[in-house]
Amino acid sequence: MLRSFIPVLLLGLMLPAFCDTRPWKSADGTKTVQAEFIKWDASTVTIRTDGGKEFTIELSKLHPDERKWLDTYHSLAAPAPDPTAFFENLTFHDTRETTLAKLKASKTVEMTVDETFIGRSGLNGVFRTRLKIGTLTGSLYFDWAESGKLKELNLQTETRPANCYKSELEPSWKQLIDLLEALYGKPEVKGSLPAIASVADGSFVPSHFWKLPTGGSTLLGTARDGQNYQVVVRFTQKNPEVVAIP
């Protein structure tokens, strides 16, 4: 699914922190039930409680906020995903203009600056994930071919100092492994969390590698910027040579 999303996250998909288990309010707002979203149609929604029981409820019996949530994260009018997409319906054929248009319509990332400033700064860092990956927010960074088409996309978490490498970066790294495996299956190459000593300033050290089904590849690992570190998912047109990752 992330192949047309990270179609619906890299986020209505980025779960468990990105899971659809949430409180559902009654129409008058006086009662709530904690349950997982299963499906819905024009008149009802089906949810599953922690105990595993499924219930189908008429929308009229739920608070208007619940309909708003459904329309936002599970729109019935959502277009069919592009089979060549690799993240949030983006493809390696997209220009800056089509990339911007698709991300503005996204339910999984949000724009962090006024659109009038984009022409000056470009798209890098402008979009961030609506929900957290572990405890960290992710931001999007782009690389473009001479033709103006998208050739690489990086999802980068917030940076953290070395003393948070295990406590904050590792949980985000583990969650992304689960997500990417759910979307692409077992990786071609997988390794442990890169040793902090192996991540030189300005470098990206991958731990996992997947081939994208429509061409290109996905790499997961950690990177360093000065004295701080972050988790990175790199979607690229390139097909790097597969080597053992320690």
mmCIF file of all heavy atoms in Angstrom, residues 12-35:
data_model
loop_
_atom_site.group_PDB
_atom_site.id
_atom_site.type_symbol
_atom_site.label_atom_id
_atom_site.label_comp_id
_atom_site.label_asym_id
_atom_site.label_seq_id
_atom_site.Cartn_x
_atom_site.Cartn_y
_atom_site.Cartn_z
ATOM 1 N N GLY A 12 -2.351 7.605 7.328
ATOM 2 C CA GLY A 12 -3.370 6.791 7.851
ATOM 3 C C GLY A 12 -2.788 5.436 7.892
ATOM 4 O O GLY A 12 -3.296 4.524 8.451
ATOM 5 N N LEU A 13 -1.638 5.269 7.324
ATOM 6 C CA LEU A 13 -0.938 4.010 7.285
ATOM 7 C C LEU A 13 0.179 3.876 8.281
ATOM 8 O O LEU A 13 0.620 2.789 8.527
ATOM 9 C CB LEU A 13 -0.322 3.863 5.910
ATOM 10 C CG LEU A 13 -1.124 2.993 5.009
ATOM 11 C CD1 LEU A 13 -0.701 3.143 3.582
ATOM 12 C CD2 LEU A 13 -1.021 1.584 5.432
ATOM 13 N N MET A 14 0.757 4.889 8.767
ATOM 14 C CA MET A 14 1.921 4.747 9.623
ATOM 15 C C MET A 14 1.463 4.316 10.995
ATOM 16 O O MET A 14 1.345 5.120 11.881
ATOM 17 C CB MET A 14 2.661 6.050 9.713
ATOM 18 C CG MET A 14 3.365 6.369 8.437
ATOM 19 S SD MET A 14 4.933 5.679 8.391
ATOM 20 C CE MET A 14 5.970 6.898 7.988
ATOM 21 N N LEU A 15 1.221 3.094 11.221
ATOM 22 C CA LEU A 15 0.693 2.581 12.455
ATOM 23 C C LEU A 15 1.677 1.582 13.057
ATOM 24 O O LEU A 15 2.488 1.115 12.349
ATOM 25 C CB LEU A 15 -0.646 1.934 12.141
ATOM 26 C CG LEU A 15 -1.488 2.787 11.237
ATOM 27 C CD1 LEU A 15 -2.769 2.085 10.886
ATOM 28 C CD2 LEU A 15 -1.807 4.091 11.849
ATOM 29 N N PRO A 16 1.639 1.207 14.325
ATOM 30 C CA PRO A 16 0.657 1.486 15.343
ATOM 31 C C PRO A 16 0.557 2.942 15.769
ATOM 32 O O PRO A 16 -0.507 3.372 16.200
ATOM 33 C CB PRO A 16 1.083 0.641 16.518
ATOM 34 C CG PRO A 16 1.960 -0.406 15.975
ATOM 35 C CD PRO A 16 2.565 0.159 14.728
ATOM 36 N N ALA A 17 1.621 3.748 15.773
ATOM 37 C CA ALA A 17 1.398 5.139 16.141
ATOM 38 C C ALA A 17 0.482 5.699 15.105
ATOM 39 O O ALA A 17 -0.114 6.734 15.268
ATOM 40 C CB ALA A 17 2.698 5.896 16.158
ATOM 41 N N PHE A 18 0.399 5.006 13.972
ATOM 42 C CA PHE A 18 -0.460 5.435 12.904
ATOM 43 C C PHE A 18 -1.624 4.471 12.781
ATOM 44 O O PHE A 18 -2.085 4.169 11.706
ATOM 45 C CB PHE A 18 0.329 5.435 11.603
ATOM 46 C CG PHE A 18 1.442 6.389 11.625
ATOM 47 C CD1 PHE A 18 2.643 6.041 12.179
ATOM 48 C CD2 PHE A 18 1.293 7.660 11.112
ATOM 49 C CE1 PHE A 18 3.683 6.938 12.209
ATOM 50 C CE2 PHE A 18 2.332 8.544 11.144
ATOM 51 C CZ PHE A 18 3.519 8.184 11.694
ATOM 52 N N CYS A 19 -2.089 3.903 13.860
ATOM 53 C CA CYS A 19 -3.196 2.980 13.747
ATOM 54 C C CYS A 19 -4.514 3.719 13.869
ATOM 55 O O CYS A 19 -4.549 4.856 14.272
ATOM 56 C CB CYS A 19 -3.112 1.869 14.780
ATOM 57 S SG CYS A 19 -3.567 2.365 16.411
ATOM 58 N N ASP A 20 -5.612 3.031 13.475
ATOM 59 C CA ASP A 20 -6.928 3.645 13.483
ATOM 60 C C ASP A 20 -7.725 3.264 14.726
ATOM 61 O O ASP A 20 -8.943 3.288 14.715
ATOM 62 C CB ASP A 20 -7.693 3.247 12.221
ATOM 63 C CG ASP A 20 -7.177 3.977 10.999
ATOM 64 O OD1 ASP A 20 -6.432 4.952 11.183
ATOM 65 O OD2 ASP A 20 -7.509 3.577 9.881
ATOM 66 N N THR A 21 -7.048 2.853 15.796
ATOM 67 C CA THR A 21 -7.727 2.637 17.069
ATOM 68 C C THR A 21 -7.856 3.987 17.753
ATOM 69 O O THR A 21 -6.864 4.677 17.976
ATOM 70 C CB THR A 21 -6.935 1.660 17.955
ATOM 71 O OG1 THR A 21 -6.870 0.392 17.308
ATOM 72 C CG2 THR A 21 -7.609 1.497 19.303
ATOM 73 N N ARG A 22 -9.078 4.359 18.095
ATOM 74 C CA ARG A 22 -9.336 5.705 18.583
ATOM 75 C C ARG A 22 -10.649 5.718 19.349
ATOM 76 O O ARG A 22 -11.430 4.766 19.260
ATOM 77 C CB ARG A 22 -9.403 6.696 17.411
ATOM 78 C CG ARG A 22 -10.448 6.301 16.377
ATOM 79 C CD ARG A 22 -10.392 7.179 15.138
ATOM 80 N NE ARG A 22 -10.613 8.573 15.441
ATOM 81 C CZ ARG A 22 -11.809 9.122 15.642
ATOM 82 N NH1 ARG A 22 -12.899 8.386 15.571
ATOM 83 N NH2 ARG A 22 -11.927 10.408 15.905
ATOM 84 N N PRO A 23 -10.943 6.786 20.105
ATOM 85 C CA PRO A 23 -12.243 6.888 20.784
ATOM 86 C C PRO A 23 -13.327 7.348 19.813
ATOM 87 O O PRO A 23 -13.131 8.300 19.055
ATOM 88 C CB PRO A 23 -11.983 7.941 21.871
ATOM 89 C CG PRO A 23 -10.875 8.770 21.338
ATOM 90 C CD PRO A 23 -10.020 7.853 20.512
ATOM 91 N N TRP A 24 -14.469 6.670 19.824
ATOM 92 C CA TRP A 24 -15.615 7.021 18.981
ATOM 93 C C TRP A 24 -16.712 7.580 19.890
ATOM 94 O O TRP A 24 -17.141 6.926 20.834
ATOM 95 C CB TRP A 24 -16.125 5.785 18.236
ATOM 96 C CG TRP A 24 -15.093 5.220 17.307
ATOM 97 C CD1 TRP A 24 -14.069 4.393 17.629
ATOM 98 C CD2 TRP A 24 -15.001 5.448 15.904
ATOM 99 N NE1 TRP A 24 -13.321 4.089 16.516
ATOM 100 C CE2 TRP A 24 -13.874 4.722 15.434
ATOM 101 C CE3 TRP A 24 -15.757 6.184 14.983
ATOM 102 C CZ2 TRP A 24 -13.491 4.719 14.103
ATOM 103 C CZ3 TRP A 24 -15.375 6.174 13.656
ATOM 104 C CH2 TRP A 24 -14.260 5.453 13.227
ATOM 105 N N LYS A 25 -17.145 8.803 19.603
ATOM 106 C CA LYS A 25 -18.123 9.489 20.455
ATOM 107 C C LYS A 25 -19.549 9.279 19.960
ATOM 108 O O LYS A 25 -19.807 9.228 18.753
ATOM 109 C CB LYS A 25 -17.831 10.990 20.486
ATOM 110 C CG LYS A 25 -16.531 11.358 21.178
ATOM 111 C CD LYS A 25 -16.360 12.863 21.274
ATOM 112 C CE LYS A 25 -16.153 13.473 19.901
ATOM 113 N NZ LYS A 25 -15.832 14.920 19.981
ATOM 114 N N SER A 26 -20.456 9.197 20.923
ATOM 115 C CA SER A 26 -21.880 9.135 20.595
ATOM 116 C C SER A 26 -22.333 10.480 20.041
ATOM 117 O O SER A 26 -21.629 11.486 20.138
ATOM 118 C CB SER A 26 -22.697 8.792 21.839
ATOM 119 O OG SER A 26 -22.520 9.793 22.839
ATOM 120 N N ALA A 27 -23.524 10.509 19.453
ATOM 121 C CA ALA A 27 -24.031 11.711 18.797
ATOM 122 C C ALA A 27 -24.058 12.914 19.728
ATOM 123 O O ALA A 27 -23.755 14.048 19.320
ATOM 124 C CB ALA A 27 -25.425 11.451 18.228
ATOM 125 N N ASP A 28 -24.389 12.687 21.012
ATOM 126 C CA ASP A 28 -24.459 13.806 21.958
ATOM 127 C C ASP A 28 -23.135 14.061 22.675
ATOM 128 O O ASP A 28 -23.023 14.964 23.501
ATOM 129 C CB ASP A 28 -25.566 13.590 22.983
ATOM 130 C CG ASP A 28 -25.360 12.321 23.814
ATOM 131 O OD1 ASP A 28 -24.290 11.682 23.689
ATOM 132 O OD2 ASP A 28 -26.279 11.966 24.580
ATOM 133 N N GLY A 29 -22.109 13.243 22.348
ATOM 134 C CA GLY A 29 -20.788 13.449 22.913
ATOM 135 C C GLY A 29 -20.609 12.989 24.339
ATOM 136 O O GLY A 29 -19.553 13.222 24.939
ATOM 137 N N THR A 30 -21.603 12.305 24.926
ATOM 138 C CA THR A 30 -21.523 11.912 26.336
ATOM 139 C C THR A 30 -20.887 10.541 26.551
ATOM 140 O O THR A 30 -20.485 10.222 27.666
ATOM 141 C CB THR A 30 -22.923 11.900 26.962
ATOM 142 O OG1 THR A 30 -23.741 10.938 26.261
ATOM 143 C CG2 THR A 30 -23.563 13.282 26.878
ATOM 144 N N LYS A 31 -20.789 9.727 25.504
ATOM 145 C CA LYS A 31 -20.235 8.386 25.624
ATOM 146 C C LYS A 31 -19.174 8.159 24.552
ATOM 147 O O LYS A 31 -19.264 8.697 23.455
ATOM 148 C CB LYS A 31 -21.337 7.332 25.482
ATOM 149 C CG LYS A 31 -22.433 7.426 26.540
ATOM 150 C CD LYS A 31 -23.510 6.382 26.287
ATOM 151 C CE LYS A 31 -24.633 6.487 27.307
ATOM 152 N NZ LYS A 31 -25.705 5.484 27.044
ATOM 153 N N THR A 32 -18.173 7.356 24.895
ATOM 154 C CA THR A 32 -17.133 7.003 23.932
ATOM 155 C C THR A 32 -16.811 5.517 24.062
ATOM 156 O O THR A 32 -17.004 4.913 25.119
ATOM 157 C CB THR A 32 -15.836 7.802 24.147
ATOM 158 O OG1 THR A 32 -15.294 7.499 25.445
ATOM 159 C CG2 THR A 32 -16.073 9.300 24.015
ATOM 160 N N VAL A 33 -16.318 4.954 22.957
ATOM 161 C CA VAL A 33 -15.832 3.581 22.976
ATOM 162 C C VAL A 33 -14.511 3.551 22.205
ATOM 163 O O VAL A 33 -14.384 4.144 21.136
ATOM 164 C CB VAL A 33 -16.858 2.605 22.344
ATOM 165 C CG1 VAL A 33 -17.172 2.976 20.910
ATOM 166 C CG2 VAL A 33 -16.326 1.164 22.424
ATOM 167 N N GLN A 34 -13.507 2.904 22.782
ATOM 168 C CA GLN A 34 -12.204 2.779 22.141
ATOM 169 C C GLN A 34 -12.270 1.601 21.177
ATOM 170 O O GLN A 34 -12.523 0.462 21.587
ATOM 171 C CB GLN A 34 -11.114 2.557 23.182
ATOM 172 C CG GLN A 34 -9.695 2.703 22.658
ATOM 173 C CD GLN A 34 -9.297 4.151 22.460
ATOM 174 O OE1 GLN A 34 -9.965 5.044 22.972
ATOM 175 N NE2 GLN A 34 -8.225 4.387 21.730
ATOM 176 N N ALA A 35 -12.051 1.848 19.896
ATOM 177 C CA ALA A 35 -12.174 0.772 18.905
ATOM 178 C C ALA A 35 -11.392 1.110 17.651
ATOM 179 O O ALA A 35 -11.044 2.274 17.393
ATOM 180 C CB ALA A 35 -13.649 0.535 18.562
#
